[in-house]
Amino acid sequence: MIRVLAIDDEPLALQQVVAYIRKIPFFELVAQCQSAIEAREVMDREPVDAIFCDINMPDLSGMDFVRQLPVRPIIVFTTAYSEYAIEGYKVDAVDYLLKPFGFADFQRAALKVQKVAAALANETAAVAAPAPAPAPKSGQTDDTIFVKTDYKTVRISLSDIRYIEGMSEYLKLYLDSQPKPVITLLSMKKMEEFLPQSFMRIHRSYIVNLDKVQEVNKNRVILGPAASQPVGSDDVYLPIGDNYKEQFNDYLSTRYLGK
């Protein structure tokens, strides 16, 4: 099933989209929202595969809302203004429905969503299939991973990863080689199981590359600025959670010199 979110500030237009979503057998309605702000709150707690989103909304337009998403679901824009069509495709919308539209038009858009969702699923399976089930920590020998971000799959060198931040259903991978993190739909547990011994979970929300740690100060680890950051950039401070202190201290004790 494809999990779908409907967004429109006009109640009647929203009701119509919701009714059409419920007629599509491979769609599951996650929620219906009358603003982009409300939709973002839903997405912070619920996984969403596709969005049918009005463009012309108060406070935050549908276009700006989509541009701000760290990881974009499959997007279909709905609007009464045809001049938005080209702009919509610039943010990788798979379709554009001009109001008023009927069920036949909506169904064609739904089939496009299904096609893209199937392609993404096949791509993910193709990347995952060649690798055997990852051996925990010590069994990891390859020095790269593949992760899905936006509509593409990218290769990342493990030595390039500084730390990983968990946020709801997503992970942010902070790299030495680029200033912006790579964002992917994945759980901390899954990532933690795959990574080698040079990585350690130090907090509910953080996994750190131990080779990047420059200093330990009380309940924090300190990483220097990334290579891609401007000279003079601030260090990065990551907390050590109570549930992870013992494991981290054990790691330190094996490398500690002095009294």
Side-chain angles (χ1 to χ4, degrees):
M1 296 290 283
I2 300 171
R3 292 172 57 82
V4 180
L5 182 65
I7 313 169
D8 201 308
D9 65 308
E10 299 177 9
L12 291 178
L14 183 60
Q15 288 176 23
Q16 182 192 49
V17 171
V18 167
Y20 287 166
I21 289 172
R22 286 174 171 155
K23 288 183 178 181
I24 303 296
F26 49 82
F27 277 176
E28 175 186 348
L29 180 66
V30 174
Q32 48 185 301
C33 303
Q34 288 190 256
S35 73
I37 296 172
E38 182 186 353
R40 186 57 190 267
E41 292 174 355
V42 171
M43 294 181 69
D44 284 343
R45 62 178 188 268
E46 295 282 349
V48 173
D49 301 315
I51 298 176
F52 284 81
C53 183
D54 185 31
I55 292 178
N56 219 16
M57 294 187 292
D59 297 326
L60 183 63
S61 75
M63 199 75 68
D64 289 337
F65 166 66
V66 168
R67 287 195 184 101
Q68 292 177 12
L69 291 175
V71 178
R72 292 177 190 167
I74 302 166
I75 307 295
V76 176
F77 283 120
T78 64
T79 184
Y81 302 95
S82 59
E83 62 266 26
Y84 286 119
I86 294 177
E87 191 176 357
Y89 287 118
K90 287 181 180 178
V91 294
D92 294 326
V94 301
D95 208 352
Y96 174 95
L97 291 171
L98 186 61
K99 298 177 181 179
F101 53 85
F103 181 65
D105 294 325
F106 185 89
Q107 194 171 31
R108 281 192 289 272
L111 290 172
K112 289 184 181 180
V113 171
Q114 184 186 40
K115 184 176 180 180
V116 171
L120 292 174
N122 290 338
E123 184 179 278
T124 301
V127 170
K137 305 296 183 180
S138 60
Q140 179 65 33
T141 56
D142 194 7
D143 60 353
T144 62
I145 57 173
F146 286 92
V147 297
K148 180 80 174 57
T149 180
D150 287 333
Y151 294 110
K152 58 181 182 287
T153 299
V154 297
R155 180 197 292 268
I156 295 175
S157 171
L158 292 176
S159 62
D160 194 25
I161 301 174
R162 289 163 50 75
Y163 67 98
I164 300 166
E165 180 182 7
M167 36 180 276
S168 186
E169 301 291 326
Y170 300 96
L171 297 181
K172 285 184 177 181
L173 281 66
Y174 291 85
L175 309 179
D176 262 330
S177 61
Q178 62 184 61
K180 292 185 177 180
V182 173
I183 301 175
T184 187
L185 179 62
L186 195 66
S187 70
M188 286 285 278
K189 185 175 186 299
K190 194 76 173 177
M191 179 62 81
E192 188 180 12
E193 289 174 350
F194 186 83
L195 292 170
Q197 285 184 330
S198 55
F199 288 82
M200 182 179 291
R201 190 167 184 175
I202 60 168
H203 186 274
R204 182 171 57 88
S205 300
Y206 294 104
I207 296 172
V208 68
N209 184 341
L210 296 169
D211 294 335
K212 308 291 184 180
V213 175
Q214 291 191 348
E215 186 178 335
V216 181
N217 188 338
K218 296 182 180 179
N219 293 326
R220 300 181 300 180
V221 299
I222 302 173
L223 285 65
S228 59
Q229 296 291 341
V231 175
S233 297
D234 293 337
D235 292 338
V236 175
Y237 293 79
L238 302 178
I240 303 171
D242 290 340
N243 294 334
Y244 303 90
K245 282 181 184 177
E246 183 176 354
Q247 180 186 10
F248 186 72
N249 287 336
D250 287 345
Y251 160 77
L252 287 181
S253 67
T254 64
R255 289 158 177 79
Y256 184 75
L257 297 179
K259 296 182 180 179

